[in-house]
Amino acid sequence: MSYAPYAVAAWICVVGLYGIVTSRNLIHLGVCLTVTQSSTYVLLLAVGYVHNGGPPIFTGVPPGTRAVDPVVQALTLTDIVVSVTVLALILALALDVHRHAGTIDPDEIAELHG
Amino acid sequence: MSWLLPLLVAVPLLGAALTAATDHVLPRHVKDLIGIAAAGTTCAFGILVMLRSEQGDVVHWFGGWHPHGGVALGIDFVADPLSAALAALVGGIVLVALVFSWAYLEEAALLFDTLMLVCCAAMCGFALSGDLFNMFVWLELMGVAAYALTGFEVKEIGPLQGAVNFAIVNGIGGYLIVIGIALAYARTGALNLAQIGVTLTTGGGRGLVVVAMTLVVCGFLCKAAVVPFHLWLADAYAVAPAPVCAVFAAVMTDIGLLGVARVYWTVFSHPFAAHAPAVGDVLLALGIATALLGGVMAFLQRHLKRMLAYSVTCHIGIMLAGIGLLVPAGLAGTADLLLAHALLVAGLFLATGVLLALLRSVDELQLYGKGRRVRWLAALWFGAALGLAGPPYVGVWAGHALIDEAASGRPWIPPLLWIAGALASASLLRAGVRVFLGRGAERDPLLSPEMREQPPGRGTRLAILAPATAVTVVLGLLVSVVPGLTQRTEEAAARFSDRAAYASLVLRGAAAPHTAPLPFALEPTSLESVLYGIGAVLLAAALAAFGLRRPQLGGIPLLVAPARAVKAVHSGVIGDYVMWLTVGTAVIGGIWAVALR
Amino acid sequence: MSRRARLAIFAPALVGFAALLVWGVAGLPHFGHYRGPYGHVVNRIVIPERHVSNAVNATTYDIRGFDTMGEEFILFAAVTGVVLLLRGSGRTRAEKDDVVRSDVVRAAGAVAPAVVVLVGLWVAAFGFVTPGGGFQGGVAVAGGAAVLFVTLGYRAWSRLGNESILDPLEGLGAGGYVVVGVAALASGLPFLTNIFGFGVAGTLRSGGSAELLNWAAAIEVAAANLILMTEFVEQYLVRGRS
């Protein structure tokens, strides 16, 4: 039980990578990339959890109350922004690829090779 | 002078915000001037910081958050001479690229300056950062700007493919780093490099530390395009506009290597001190493999930018080998090599830009003989190609000499690096002979054609393009004769690899004792280095001659089949690239898991 | 390389990679037993030193505010990149026939966007007191504008989603963050030092100059998301069926 969240994070990462390697659609690939990244959120947040700790908001609560780690939450926020932005770029690229090549199958847009 | 450190990032970022906010309001040349001013200021400040840091590393704690009782709370920038020099180099190369693109790119170069300045800021930030997550943030920032810049010529499928492959491989690399950071954070409760390093000197949790190191190093190696994470680089650098490629090839890939070196020396050098050869040898092996593969692949190209991209891979491999030797002399050699290589390869990419503008192509066989009129460009091209081979006291020679000296216990290393570097230069020489001299076989089926590139819309203002290219190449050639450079890089490298001094400076503000000022003189060198230098040029010339004659020598089946196989691996398909990335991470992790238990 | 060959090499590599991850996380402290000093120190000092009750936002905008500056610019650069990639082919601002016919939806559109935007602004404003903050609020505001598009159609949207408003706003948000940092530098303090008074914890006036950074982030995130949506929406509308 005490390692379950970490195992979940590892599983999500592995599944995402599998999706990327076997993908036949650039949009699906972008989403798989997001899935891989969400494994980092799960891991970060799981690492910062404190048993019986409340949220790190101290409004009306005496300081020194047990609270979870706020730093990993800030890191996860940054991580989410990174994920959103990379996904936006990949989607824009997918749109452009479709406009020029008529397909968004990554196996078929390999014009540069060798 | 620590107030200069944030300005190295703040100035280009402000420039970027300004050019973006006024995108439809200000005329193009005003925005270009803002960009050039910002980049120039960054370069100047970088040089100032580098000079100041010679007396002692400069530290700046953001937000005034100094360490609370040995616990670093805030984010810091630490400028030691090597990282400050890299930041200055970034500013300088971006400056040259912006000046070049001022005359090179079309009228409607929408938001180009913005993205270039963002890239500049991110690279400077990465070089100076002393916090692991902050390094990740800058890595992603330079990545995001770079993916868009790669796909700049949106009209064709090639740039889009390059941008997609670039984005996905580097994106995954970034996520590997975050997993590594999460592991290290859980174990040490810190994100500051010095503090993680100090905390890791005690306690167990071996497996976790090995995996954290694997993931973080592999993530940086994705950015640095080391085998087997290198496949995206040729796709991306073949299609971006020439000034953008100059920036990428000169400094962005090298930044990944700085990440590896920084993280190793400040964080992981102590826990694995007893097994340091295991760590170093893996890096060394990767470096040599990358160098050789890059050289071979460069030789098999006819698209000049793709050829240059593979030569970048080759030199990155040599640089990684220098780091993998795990001694200050090796690191110093890498630094000197980086400086010369950055200038020379930037100049070469700018030269391809001129070729595209003047002669409408960057294909070696299509350009056969057409470059005969452009003698000045021919001189620069051959000069840079020879500079990358490294005859004595020219170009990359100083770096190579230091690396060879550092590898003195293992005599099989210098020849391998020598062959790899000669292969890369040979391909450039061969291309130069075909393009500028019109000699050699006119057809070569082993070199596969790539897609055509659209010449830039602007007329060629050679009055700007020519000096920009010339200055860059000449500076690169002169690196090995700068008096006092090698002594200073050696001393800076020794400081860079001193974990304890770094930690006490960052966490407790304890300044290192002053060292005697270094002389401005050329260091005496060994006969071996001179011979290697001369030999490199001779070997490169011989290989180039072979390449020119190869189709007429009848197919040499022993060489053709493996060449085709190697080329087939570089398939252009992202699924294959990510597969190789996974293989690489698993193998490196597996080797370290066994060796470092 | 054929897909089968690729999978044949990938499968064992993925198993090895997974094993590596499992071995790595096995060395972590048990779930719920976070040990490290960083989080505990931050929780302890957040009220005494900064008078801010939301420790996450104190970390985001004050203690690790420099990371947030980089993160803001990541969003900024990505949106710039999307604009750059989706430009070209000279799309016209043609008013396509995009009329919302359902009365219920249009009635909702009269109210819902304003509600969402207000909620977003509230979340951003109270970021230092309750969960929330600039990023979350900015995204909610952009969401409100998206609701506007969905319920009232393209014409209503294009009043908000046009470049001459959004570009300067985005630049203001991003540049504003840097300016606050430089202001501290100009007064002789390290970059991004909190130079205004800290106010009283638990009220809107807490956090000092981190409050300014909070708003800079909110503006920039809202503007950036709106630009993103505009770019994608205009691709859809002008392209037609594709």
PDB file of all heavy atoms in Angstrom, chain C residues 43-71:
ATOM      1  N   ASN C  43       6.751  25.554   5.167  1.00  0.00           N
ATOM      2  CA  ASN C  43       5.486  25.632   5.906  1.00  0.00           C
ATOM      3  C   ASN C  43       5.648  26.428   7.190  1.00  0.00           C
ATOM      4  O   ASN C  43       4.747  27.130   7.630  1.00  0.00           O
ATOM      5  CB  ASN C  43       4.987  24.218   6.229  1.00  0.00           C
ATOM      6  CG  ASN C  43       4.239  23.618   5.056  1.00  0.00           C
ATOM      7  OD1 ASN C  43       3.749  24.330   4.204  1.00  0.00           O
ATOM      8  ND2 ASN C  43       4.179  22.312   5.020  1.00  0.00           N
ATOM      9  N   ARG C  44       6.824  26.299   7.784  1.00  0.00           N
ATOM     10  CA  ARG C  44       7.036  26.966   9.065  1.00  0.00           C
ATOM     11  C   ARG C  44       7.213  28.473   8.907  1.00  0.00           C
ATOM     12  O   ARG C  44       6.762  29.246   9.727  1.00  0.00           O
ATOM     13  CB  ARG C  44       8.291  26.375   9.718  1.00  0.00           C
ATOM     14  CG  ARG C  44       8.153  26.220  11.203  1.00  0.00           C
ATOM     15  CD  ARG C  44       9.306  25.481  11.822  1.00  0.00           C
ATOM     16  NE  ARG C  44      10.596  25.835  11.286  1.00  0.00           N
ATOM     17  CZ  ARG C  44      11.497  24.936  10.868  1.00  0.00           C
ATOM     18  NH1 ARG C  44      11.219  23.644  10.929  1.00  0.00           N
ATOM     19  NH2 ARG C  44      12.654  25.313  10.389  1.00  0.00           N
ATOM     20  N   ILE C  45       7.903  28.898   7.855  1.00  0.00           N
ATOM     21  CA  ILE C  45       8.257  30.310   7.774  1.00  0.00           C
ATOM     22  C   ILE C  45       7.279  31.142   6.975  1.00  0.00           C
ATOM     23  O   ILE C  45       7.385  32.355   6.911  1.00  0.00           O
ATOM     24  CB  ILE C  45       9.644  30.502   7.133  1.00  0.00           C
ATOM     25  CG1 ILE C  45       9.621  29.970   5.707  1.00  0.00           C
ATOM     26  CG2 ILE C  45      10.702  29.844   7.956  1.00  0.00           C
ATOM     27  CD1 ILE C  45      10.817  30.431   4.930  1.00  0.00           C
ATOM     28  N   VAL C  46       6.312  30.487   6.352  1.00  0.00           N
ATOM     29  CA  VAL C  46       5.496  31.209   5.378  1.00  0.00           C
ATOM     30  C   VAL C  46       4.689  32.329   6.034  1.00  0.00           C
ATOM     31  O   VAL C  46       4.559  33.409   5.495  1.00  0.00           O
ATOM     32  CB  VAL C  46       4.627  30.186   4.628  1.00  0.00           C
ATOM     33  CG1 VAL C  46       3.177  30.534   4.699  1.00  0.00           C
ATOM     34  CG2 VAL C  46       5.048  30.066   3.215  1.00  0.00           C
ATOM     35  N   ILE C  47       4.131  32.078   7.197  1.00  0.00           N
ATOM     36  CA  ILE C  47       3.375  33.156   7.835  1.00  0.00           C
ATOM     37  C   ILE C  47       4.291  34.156   8.529  1.00  0.00           C
ATOM     38  O   ILE C  47       4.159  35.349   8.314  1.00  0.00           O
ATOM     39  CB  ILE C  47       2.312  32.588   8.815  1.00  0.00           C
ATOM     40  CG1 ILE C  47       1.300  31.776   8.011  1.00  0.00           C
ATOM     41  CG2 ILE C  47       1.668  33.718   9.566  1.00  0.00           C
ATOM     42  CD1 ILE C  47      -0.116  32.040   8.290  1.00  0.00           C
ATOM     43  N   PRO C  48       5.209  33.731   9.357  1.00  0.00           N
ATOM     44  CA  PRO C  48       6.041  34.732  10.025  1.00  0.00           C
ATOM     45  C   PRO C  48       6.810  35.621   9.055  1.00  0.00           C
ATOM     46  O   PRO C  48       6.883  36.821   9.242  1.00  0.00           O
ATOM     47  CB  PRO C  48       7.012  33.906  10.883  1.00  0.00           C
ATOM     48  CG  PRO C  48       6.615  32.515  10.780  1.00  0.00           C
ATOM     49  CD  PRO C  48       5.493  32.371   9.821  1.00  0.00           C
ATOM     50  N   GLU C  49       7.382  35.045   8.001  1.00  0.00           N
ATOM     51  CA  GLU C  49       8.253  35.869   7.184  1.00  0.00           C
ATOM     52  C   GLU C  49       7.527  36.576   6.051  1.00  0.00           C
ATOM     53  O   GLU C  49       7.960  37.603   5.584  1.00  0.00           O
ATOM     54  CB  GLU C  49       9.383  35.014   6.595  1.00  0.00           C
ATOM     55  CG  GLU C  49      10.285  34.475   7.672  1.00  0.00           C
ATOM     56  CD  GLU C  49      11.678  34.155   7.162  1.00  0.00           C
ATOM     57  OE1 GLU C  49      12.028  34.643   6.072  1.00  0.00           O
ATOM     58  OE2 GLU C  49      12.401  33.423   7.838  1.00  0.00           O
ATOM     59  N   ARG C  50       6.441  36.038   5.570  1.00  0.00           N
ATOM     60  CA  ARG C  50       5.818  36.644   4.406  1.00  0.00           C
ATOM     61  C   ARG C  50       4.350  36.989   4.617  1.00  0.00           C
ATOM     62  O   ARG C  50       3.732  37.577   3.745  1.00  0.00           O
ATOM     63  CB  ARG C  50       5.919  35.693   3.190  1.00  0.00           C
ATOM     64  CG  ARG C  50       7.301  35.673   2.560  1.00  0.00           C
ATOM     65  CD  ARG C  50       7.628  37.003   1.940  1.00  0.00           C
ATOM     66  NE  ARG C  50       8.891  36.990   1.254  1.00  0.00           N
ATOM     67  CZ  ARG C  50      10.034  37.483   1.760  1.00  0.00           C
ATOM     68  NH1 ARG C  50      10.064  37.966   2.979  1.00  0.00           N
ATOM     69  NH2 ARG C  50      11.139  37.455   1.044  1.00  0.00           N
ATOM     70  N   HIS C  51       3.776  36.620   5.733  1.00  0.00           N
ATOM     71  CA  HIS C  51       2.369  36.900   6.035  1.00  0.00           C
ATOM     72  C   HIS C  51       1.455  36.365   4.957  1.00  0.00           C
ATOM     73  O   HIS C  51       0.465  36.992   4.607  1.00  0.00           O
ATOM     74  CB  HIS C  51       2.123  38.412   6.177  1.00  0.00           C
ATOM     75  CG  HIS C  51       2.922  39.039   7.267  1.00  0.00           C
ATOM     76  ND1 HIS C  51       2.618  40.248   7.815  1.00  0.00           N
ATOM     77  CD2 HIS C  51       4.025  38.625   7.917  1.00  0.00           C
ATOM     78  CE1 HIS C  51       3.497  40.550   8.752  1.00  0.00           C
ATOM     79  NE2 HIS C  51       4.367  39.583   8.836  1.00  0.00           N
ATOM     80  N   VAL C  52       1.776  35.231   4.423  1.00  0.00           N
ATOM     81  CA  VAL C  52       0.971  34.634   3.371  1.00  0.00           C
ATOM     82  C   VAL C  52       0.481  33.298   3.889  1.00  0.00           C
ATOM     83  O   VAL C  52       1.261  32.511   4.411  1.00  0.00           O
ATOM     84  CB  VAL C  52       1.826  34.428   2.104  1.00  0.00           C
ATOM     85  CG1 VAL C  52       1.123  33.536   1.122  1.00  0.00           C
ATOM     86  CG2 VAL C  52       2.141  35.760   1.469  1.00  0.00           C
ATOM     87  N   SER C  53      -0.825  33.027   3.761  1.00  0.00           N
ATOM     88  CA  SER C  53      -1.304  31.765   4.318  1.00  0.00           C
ATOM     89  C   SER C  53      -1.259  30.610   3.340  1.00  0.00           C
ATOM     90  O   SER C  53      -1.300  29.472   3.751  1.00  0.00           O
ATOM     91  CB  SER C  53      -2.721  31.891   4.862  1.00  0.00           C
ATOM     92  OG  SER C  53      -3.275  33.122   4.545  1.00  0.00           O
ATOM     93  N   ASN C  54      -1.190  30.908   2.047  1.00  0.00           N
ATOM     94  CA  ASN C  54      -1.143  29.821   1.075  1.00  0.00           C
ATOM     95  C   ASN C  54       0.316  29.525   0.767  1.00  0.00           C
ATOM     96  O   ASN C  54       0.962  30.264   0.019  1.00  0.00           O
ATOM     97  CB  ASN C  54      -1.906  30.240  -0.182  1.00  0.00           C
ATOM     98  CG  ASN C  54      -1.968  29.132  -1.201  1.00  0.00           C
ATOM     99  OD1 ASN C  54      -1.184  28.185  -1.155  1.00  0.00           O
ATOM    100  ND2 ASN C  54      -2.890  29.245  -2.126  1.00  0.00           N
ATOM    101  N   ALA C  55       0.825  28.450   1.350  1.00  0.00           N
ATOM    102  CA  ALA C  55       2.253  28.169   1.219  1.00  0.00           C
ATOM    103  C   ALA C  55       2.632  27.831  -0.214  1.00  0.00           C
ATOM    104  O   ALA C  55       3.746  28.119  -0.656  1.00  0.00           O
ATOM    105  CB  ALA C  55       2.652  27.028   2.146  1.00  0.00           C
ATOM    106  N   VAL C  56       1.699  27.238  -0.966  1.00  0.00           N
ATOM    107  CA  VAL C  56       2.035  26.869  -2.344  1.00  0.00           C
ATOM    108  C   VAL C  56       2.294  28.123  -3.164  1.00  0.00           C
ATOM    109  O   VAL C  56       3.256  28.210  -3.918  1.00  0.00           O
ATOM    110  CB  VAL C  56       0.895  26.047  -2.981  1.00  0.00           C
ATOM    111  CG1 VAL C  56       1.223  25.718  -4.411  1.00  0.00           C
ATOM    112  CG2 VAL C  56       0.650  24.795  -2.181  1.00  0.00           C
ATOM    113  N   ASN C  57       1.414  29.117  -3.011  1.00  0.00           N
ATOM    114  CA  ASN C  57       1.624  30.337  -3.770  1.00  0.00           C
ATOM    115  C   ASN C  57       2.805  31.134  -3.266  1.00  0.00           C
ATOM    116  O   ASN C  57       3.477  31.817  -4.039  1.00  0.00           O
ATOM    117  CB  ASN C  57       0.355  31.202  -3.751  1.00  0.00           C
ATOM    118  CG  ASN C  57      -0.570  30.785  -4.865  1.00  0.00           C
ATOM    119  OD1 ASN C  57      -0.166  30.096  -5.780  1.00  0.00           O
ATOM    120  ND2 ASN C  57      -1.812  31.191  -4.761  1.00  0.00           N
ATOM    121  N   ALA C  58       3.062  31.059  -1.959  1.00  0.00           N
ATOM    122  CA  ALA C  58       4.276  31.719  -1.461  1.00  0.00           C
ATOM    123  C   ALA C  58       5.498  31.090  -2.120  1.00  0.00           C
ATOM    124  O   ALA C  58       6.452  31.773  -2.484  1.00  0.00           O
ATOM    125  CB  ALA C  58       4.359  31.583   0.049  1.00  0.00           C
ATOM    126  N   THR C  59       5.468  29.772  -2.282  1.00  0.00           N
ATOM    127  CA  THR C  59       6.579  29.118  -2.965  1.00  0.00           C
ATOM    128  C   THR C  59       6.634  29.534  -4.421  1.00  0.00           C
ATOM    129  O   THR C  59       7.685  29.857  -4.955  1.00  0.00           O
ATOM    130  CB  THR C  59       6.422  27.591  -2.895  1.00  0.00           C
ATOM    131  OG1 THR C  59       6.099  27.212  -1.576  1.00  0.00           O
ATOM    132  CG2 THR C  59       7.677  26.903  -3.341  1.00  0.00           C
ATOM    133  N   THR C  60       5.470  29.537  -5.071  1.00  0.00           N
ATOM    134  CA  THR C  60       5.454  29.807  -6.504  1.00  0.00           C
ATOM    135  C   THR C  60       5.893  31.222  -6.818  1.00  0.00           C
ATOM    136  O   THR C  60       6.623  31.453  -7.770  1.00  0.00           O
ATOM    137  CB  THR C  60       4.030  29.622  -7.051  1.00  0.00           C
ATOM    138  OG1 THR C  60       3.530  28.379  -6.614  1.00  0.00           O
ATOM    139  CG2 THR C  60       4.039  29.659  -8.550  1.00  0.00           C
ATOM    140  N   TYR C  61       5.412  32.190  -6.064  1.00  0.00           N
ATOM    141  CA  TYR C  61       5.657  33.573  -6.455  1.00  0.00           C
ATOM    142  C   TYR C  61       6.734  34.260  -5.659  1.00  0.00           C
ATOM    143  O   TYR C  61       7.151  35.356  -5.998  1.00  0.00           O
ATOM    144  CB  TYR C  61       4.367  34.396  -6.359  1.00  0.00           C
ATOM    145  CG  TYR C  61       3.340  33.934  -7.344  1.00  0.00           C
ATOM    146  CD1 TYR C  61       2.238  33.214  -6.928  1.00  0.00           C
ATOM    147  CD2 TYR C  61       3.514  34.167  -8.697  1.00  0.00           C
ATOM    148  CE1 TYR C  61       1.319  32.761  -7.841  1.00  0.00           C
ATOM    149  CE2 TYR C  61       2.602  33.715  -9.611  1.00  0.00           C
ATOM    150  CZ  TYR C  61       1.501  33.005  -9.182  1.00  0.00           C
ATOM    151  OH  TYR C  61       0.596  32.545 -10.085  1.00  0.00           O
ATOM    152  N   ASP C  62       7.149  33.674  -4.562  1.00  0.00           N
ATOM    153  CA  ASP C  62       8.137  34.363  -3.750  1.00  0.00           C
ATOM    154  C   ASP C  62       9.416  33.545  -3.612  1.00  0.00           C
ATOM    155  O   ASP C  62      10.453  33.921  -4.139  1.00  0.00           O
ATOM    156  CB  ASP C  62       7.526  34.670  -2.378  1.00  0.00           C
ATOM    157  CG  ASP C  62       8.323  35.719  -1.646  1.00  0.00           C
ATOM    158  OD1 ASP C  62       9.550  35.817  -1.883  1.00  0.00           O
ATOM    159  OD2 ASP C  62       7.750  36.453  -0.848  1.00  0.00           O
ATOM    160  N   ILE C  63       9.313  32.413  -2.925  1.00  0.00           N
ATOM    161  CA  ILE C  63      10.540  31.663  -2.655  1.00  0.00           C
ATOM    162  C   ILE C  63      11.140  31.114  -3.942  1.00  0.00           C
ATOM    163  O   ILE C  63      12.341  31.210  -4.179  1.00  0.00           O
ATOM    164  CB  ILE C  63      10.244  30.521  -1.663  1.00  0.00           C
ATOM    165  CG1 ILE C  63       9.668  31.107  -0.378  1.00  0.00           C
ATOM    166  CG2 ILE C  63      11.493  29.737  -1.366  1.00  0.00           C
ATOM    167  CD1 ILE C  63       9.235  30.090   0.622  1.00  0.00           C
ATOM    168  N   ARG C  64      10.282  30.539  -4.796  1.00  0.00           N
ATOM    169  CA  ARG C  64      10.777  30.036  -6.072  1.00  0.00           C
ATOM    170  C   ARG C  64      10.194  30.867  -7.208  1.00  0.00           C
ATOM    171  O   ARG C  64       9.889  30.345  -8.276  1.00  0.00           O
ATOM    172  CB  ARG C  64      10.421  28.556  -6.229  1.00  0.00           C
ATOM    173  CG  ARG C  64      11.126  27.685  -5.219  1.00  0.00           C
ATOM    174  CD  ARG C  64      10.946  26.226  -5.540  1.00  0.00           C
ATOM    175  NE  ARG C  64      11.668  25.851  -6.744  1.00  0.00           N
ATOM    176  CZ  ARG C  64      12.923  25.439  -6.777  1.00  0.00           C
ATOM    177  NH1 ARG C  64      13.594  25.320  -5.632  1.00  0.00           N
ATOM    178  NH2 ARG C  64      13.507  25.134  -7.913  1.00  0.00           N
ATOM    179  N   GLY C  65      10.054  32.156  -6.965  1.00  0.00           N
ATOM    180  CA  GLY C  65       9.448  33.026  -7.968  1.00  0.00           C
ATOM    181  C   GLY C  65      10.227  33.068  -9.266  1.00  0.00           C
ATOM    182  O   GLY C  65       9.670  33.341 -10.316  1.00  0.00           O
ATOM    183  N   PHE C  66      11.509  32.787  -9.185  1.00  0.00           N
ATOM    184  CA  PHE C  66      12.314  32.831 -10.402  1.00  0.00           C
ATOM    185  C   PHE C  66      11.933  31.705 -11.354  1.00  0.00           C
ATOM    186  O   PHE C  66      11.915  31.882 -12.572  1.00  0.00           O
ATOM    187  CB  PHE C  66      13.788  32.744 -10.009  1.00  0.00           C
ATOM    188  CG  PHE C  66      14.718  33.062 -11.119  1.00  0.00           C
ATOM    189  CD1 PHE C  66      14.660  34.275 -11.773  1.00  0.00           C
ATOM    190  CD2 PHE C  66      15.664  32.146 -11.527  1.00  0.00           C
ATOM    191  CE1 PHE C  66      15.518  34.566 -12.810  1.00  0.00           C
ATOM    192  CE2 PHE C  66      16.535  32.430 -12.559  1.00  0.00           C
ATOM    193  CZ  PHE C  66      16.457  33.638 -13.204  1.00  0.00           C
ATOM    194  N   ASP C  67      11.614  30.547 -10.801  1.00  0.00           N
ATOM    195  CA  ASP C  67      11.120  29.443 -11.632  1.00  0.00           C
ATOM    196  C   ASP C  67       9.849  29.857 -12.346  1.00  0.00           C
ATOM    197  O   ASP C  67       9.639  29.535 -13.519  1.00  0.00           O
ATOM    198  CB  ASP C  67      10.750  28.250 -10.739  1.00  0.00           C
ATOM    199  CG  ASP C  67      11.841  27.209 -10.707  1.00  0.00           C
ATOM    200  OD1 ASP C  67      12.815  27.348 -11.466  1.00  0.00           O
ATOM    201  OD2 ASP C  67      11.704  26.262  -9.915  1.00  0.00           O
ATOM    202  N   THR C  68       8.969  30.564 -11.624  1.00  0.00           N
ATOM    203  CA  THR C  68       7.692  30.948 -12.204  1.00  0.00           C
ATOM    204  C   THR C  68       7.899  31.928 -13.338  1.00  0.00           C
ATOM    205  O   THR C  68       7.149  31.918 -14.317  1.00  0.00           O
ATOM    206  CB  THR C  68       6.804  31.558 -11.113  1.00  0.00           C
ATOM    207  OG1 THR C  68       6.792  30.649 -10.012  1.00  0.00           O
ATOM    208  CG2 THR C  68       5.408  31.777 -11.606  1.00  0.00           C
ATOM    209  N   MET C  69       8.909  32.746 -13.231  1.00  0.00           N
ATOM    210  CA  MET C  69       9.205  33.659 -14.333  1.00  0.00           C
ATOM    211  C   MET C  69       9.559  32.865 -15.586  1.00  0.00           C
ATOM    212  O   MET C  69       9.050  33.138 -16.676  1.00  0.00           O
ATOM    213  CB  MET C  69      10.369  34.583 -13.957  1.00  0.00           C
ATOM    214  CG  MET C  69      10.644  35.630 -15.013  1.00  0.00           C
ATOM    215  SD  MET C  69      11.956  36.734 -14.531  1.00  0.00           S
ATOM    216  CE  MET C  69      13.341  35.892 -15.223  1.00  0.00           C
ATOM    217  N   GLY C  70      10.396  31.857 -15.406  1.00  0.00           N
ATOM    218  CA  GLY C  70      10.740  31.006 -16.540  1.00  0.00           C
ATOM    219  C   GLY C  70       9.508  30.303 -17.099  1.00  0.00           C
ATOM    220  O   GLY C  70       9.325  30.204 -18.309  1.00  0.00           O
ATOM    221  N   GLU C  71       8.659  29.851 -16.194  1.00  0.00           N
ATOM    222  CA  GLU C  71       7.458  29.127 -16.606  1.00  0.00           C
ATOM    223  C   GLU C  71       6.518  30.027 -17.383  1.00  0.00           C
ATOM    224  O   GLU C  71       5.955  29.624 -18.416  1.00  0.00           O
ATOM    225  CB  GLU C  71       6.801  28.635 -15.324  1.00  0.00           C
ATOM    226  CG  GLU C  71       5.513  27.948 -15.482  1.00  0.00           C
ATOM    227  CD  GLU C  71       4.869  27.809 -14.119  1.00  0.00           C
ATOM    228  OE1 GLU C  71       5.581  27.996 -13.112  1.00  0.00           O
ATOM    229  OE2 GLU C  71       3.672  27.540 -14.091  1.00  0.00           O
TER     230      GLU C  71
END
